Amino acid sequence: QVQLVESGGGLVQSGGSLRLSCAASGSTFTIDHMGWYRQGPGKQRELVAYIARAGTATYADSVKGRFTISRDNAKNTIYLQMNALKPEDTAVYYCNSRGLYNSWGQGTQVTVSA
């Protein structure tokens, strides 16, 4: 199994920045790609970005040019640098890993005030 622990959420003003981290443990050698999803109030969970083991990244249109996902394979950790945050980015952000197992973190709250 793979366990994921997120950190780095918080409250920030519109236009500000936050950096999320997700550390994987357990059978990390089985992980293919990792990513971030989010679920806003009254909304369905949606993909934010994901990154393959080789480093290829994919982003949702709503965050392109503002968010950057990166991966440190040696530390089994991914990061999400979020810049130019908007109130509509307010959500619980979940880390996800795919491969042999499909695993989820517990989520971290990001709140962007207007």
Side-chain angles (χ1 to χ4, degrees), residues 74-92:
K75 295 182 179 180
N76 296 311
T77 300
I78 63 168
Y79 306 93
L80 186 68
Q81 178 65 43
M82 305 185 292
N83 298 328
L85 282 160
K86 306 174 181 179
E88 50 263 45
D89 294 318
T90 294
V92 178

Side-chain angles (χ1 to χ4, degrees), residues 37-90:
Y37 287 72
R38 66 186 181 186
Q39 187 165 14
K43 298 181 180 179
Q44 291 187 331
R45 191 172 296 190
E46 63 178 0
L47 175 69
V48 176
Y50 67 86
I51 186 166
R53 181 173 287 275
T56 304
T58 300
Y59 298 92
D61 288 342
S62 59
V63 306
K64 282 181 181 177
R66 300 188 298 123
F67 291 11
T68 302
I69 190 170
S70 60
R71 181 169 181 163
D72 185 335
N73 288 331
K75 295 182 179 180
N76 296 311
T77 300
I78 63 168
Y79 306 93
L80 186 68
Q81 178 65 43
M82 305 185 292
N83 298 328
L85 282 160
K86 306 174 181 179
E88 50 263 45
D89 294 318
T90 294

Side-chain angles (χ1 to χ4, degrees), residues 16-29:
S17 298
L18 281 174
R19 187 193 195 208
L20 305 182
S21 301
C22 173
S25 61
S27 301
T28 57
F29 63 93

